[in-house]
Amino acid sequence: MVFPDAPPAVLVLADGSVFRGWSFGAPGTVMGEVVFNTGMTGYQEVMTDPSYCGQIVTFTYPELGNTGVNPDDEESSRPHIRGAIARNICEIPSNWRSTQSLPNYLKTHKIPGIFGIDTRALTRKLRTAGAMNGAISTTVLDPEELLRQLQDAPSMAGLNLVDQVTTDQIYEWTEVTDEAWAFGPTVSDPGEGAPLTVVAVDFGVKRNILRRLASYGCRVIVVPASATAEQIMSYQPDGIFLSNGPGDPAAVTKAPELVQALLNYSLPTFGICMGHQILGLSLGASTFKLRFGHRGLNQPCGLERQVEITSQNHGFALDAASIPEDTVRVTHLNLNDQTVAGLAHKTLPLFSVQYHPEASPGPHDADYLFAKFVDSMRSHRQQQLPV
């Protein structure tokens, strides 16, 4: 719907395409990589997912904001998207959990949005030409001038954004999945002895990932991406978790070095999304930029006879031809385009997936991976006990 008092806004893409609409959210000009997300729900989780840092997100679902926003659905301390694009927006949400409307939420966080454009045409363009830089503005309405300003925006390829989203201090996470939303263990029996200690390397971690680890009975220590192997091992971890995160994984040059140092300890290691790519890089593989990425809640992944419907958000992938077959095996493929969606080491207790098994938002098909990680840590601890 078009609100009579909504100021005009314009979206310009790097190829010169122009979309005119109306503003929702904060006034101003913002630039970033324009991508699309096909999820029918979960817009607040998307906006607060650090993996979207540096991006302007097109939501393909035709109306945004019906359920408003609330503090419980935040995946981090603030939204990380640069801007939002929608067909229609709702200014008066209808949901018992809502504490604020979406337009007011974006205004609070100084994030511009544009609505009233043909998001189907925009999505088709991004699928055909690929994700590209774009700019939203309520103050520069001349497309040619906005395009000139856009030329200075950096490309996502080669961009290290992890430093912008990683934690600046080490902390312990204790909150578990709320019982009202639990779909698996609330607290798993840690077995004999102390709880399993997981050190999570934060490349841009989501809160619900940490909640799932805690729900499985783990003591979770979160460290910045700049942490050293010595710092991590000082916590005597039973396992290492490598989180999701934004930007080009190949540009996070120190991360594979960190993981390579940790591999010497042969600890159970679980990576997702950016963590999956970093683990692959540390094992000798390489990455490449996807044309338009995978961002949605219904990405099918599997290998033989069993398929998981997964939540995904990434613009880069591991190059299958670069994976060392003598030491690493592919466990999952994205069944839409056959890109690598899962890895496992043949001799070490390491595995990773390109999707989000915590399902926030999304299906719960892959939650078993947390149980798999816990079982691996228990087995490893048992092997370390004196005979």
Side-chain angles (χ1 to χ4, degrees):
M1 61 187 299
V2 178
F3 300 106
D5 57 347
V10 63
L11 165 68
V12 172
L13 300 182
D15 69 353
S17 301
V18 178
F19 296 83
R20 293 188 180 274
W22 292 269
S23 169
F24 78 103
T29 300
V30 68
M31 301 179 188
E33 183 183 48
V34 180
V35 300
F36 63 88
N37 183 290
T38 61
M40 295 178 67
T41 185
Y43 55 81
Q44 185 178 351
E45 290 94 327
V46 167
M47 292 178 177
T48 55
D49 180 351
S51 295
Y52 282 101
C53 178
Q55 294 178 324
I56 298 172
V57 181
T58 306
F59 292 89
T60 64
Y61 191 70
E63 183 154 300
L64 214 59
N66 304 61
T67 57
V69 298
N70 68 83
D72 295 334
D73 288 347
E74 301 276 83
E75 286 296 338
S76 61
S77 61
R78 61 182 176 86
H80 290 274
I81 61 170
R82 292 272 178 85
I85 302 171
R87 179 68 181 103
N88 298 322
I89 58 148
C90 175
E91 282 199 324
I92 305 175
S94 177
N95 186 274
W96 64 272
R97 299 173 67 231
S98 176
T99 59
Q100 191 177 20
S101 73
L102 176 59
N104 286 338
Y105 176 77
L106 292 181
K107 288 176 185 175
T108 299
H109 292 281
K110 298 179 172 57
I111 297 173
I114 183 172
F115 77 101
I117 72 168
D118 187 344
T119 51
R120 294 175 299 177
L122 174 57
T123 300
R124 286 196 298 268
K125 174 171 283 293
L126 297 176
R127 282 182 58 89
T128 303
M132 66 184 78
N133 281 345
I136 296 173
S137 184
T138 62
T139 55
V140 182
L141 300 180
D142 178 1
E144 293 185 2
E145 173 58 27
L146 195 55
L147 182 60
R148 281 193 292 270
Q149 295 183 21
L150 183 60
Q151 306 311 309
D152 295 329
S155 169
M156 186 62 71
L159 200 57
N160 179 357
L161 294 173
V162 167
D163 291 343
Q164 297 184 27
V165 298
T166 188
T167 180
D168 58 2
Q169 59 185 358
I170 297 173
Y171 64 94
E172 183 170 349
W173 181 274
T174 58
E175 182 182 338
V176 300
T177 304
D178 190 292
E179 289 186 6
W181 310 108
F183 46 84
T186 301
V187 176
S188 178
D189 179 8
E192 296 181 3
L196 296 164
T197 297
V198 174
V199 172
V201 183
D202 178 12
F203 300 119
V205 71
K206 294 170 65 178
R207 288 174 175 172
N208 271 302
I209 293 173
L210 301 178
R211 290 188 183 107
R212 294 314 294 151
L213 289 169
S215 292
Y216 276 92
C218 298
R219 176 188 179 220
V220 183
I221 308 295
V222 184
V223 302
S226 60
T228 65
E230 291 73 21
Q231 287 176 310
I232 290 172
M233 293 306 299
S234 71
Y235 291 96
Q236 299 181 309
D238 294 287
I240 307 296
F241 178 79
L242 307 174
S243 86
N244 60 295
D248 186 344
V252 192
T253 54
K254 294 184 179 179
E257 296 175 7
L258 169 63
V259 175
Q260 286 170 351
L262 292 171
L263 294 182
N264 294 325
Y265 298 95
S266 300
L267 289 174
T269 300
F270 177 24
I272 73 163
C273 206
M274 170 72 79
H276 160 79
Q277 296 161 354
I278 295 296
L279 183 61
L281 289 169
S282 71
L283 295 171
S286 60
T287 58
F288 67 98
K289 193 175 191 304
L290 295 165
R291 178 184 293 180
F292 50 82
H294 303 147
R295 298 175 182 88
L297 312 181
N298 61 348
Q299 297 280 330
C301 292
L303 199 59
E304 294 180 354
R305 298 184 181 179
Q306 184 170 338
V307 176
E308 298 167 21
I309 304 302
T310 67
S311 175
Q312 298 197 13
N313 164 27
H314 61 103
F316 294 82
L318 290 170
D319 180 358
S322 70
I323 295 173
E325 296 182 358
D326 55 332
T327 56
V328 180
R329 63 185 177 90
V330 174
T331 60
H332 298 75
L333 295 175
N334 185 300
L335 300 179
N336 285 332
D337 61 8
Q338 303 299 302
T339 51
V340 176
L343 293 178
H345 198 278
K346 291 183 177 180
T347 57
L348 297 173
L350 320 173
F351 69 98
S352 62
V353 291
Q354 184 61 81
Y355 44 90
H356 286 240
E358 91 291 345
S360 299
H364 304 152
D365 296 27
D367 189 69
Y368 74 92
L369 292 169
F370 291 104
K372 177 181 176 179
F373 183 39
V374 167
D375 289 343
S376 179
M377 289 188 288
R378 285 177 178 161
S379 177
H380 184 268
R381 177 185 282 188
Q382 191 67 31
Q383 293 171 11
Q384 306 309 305
L385 295 175
V387 179

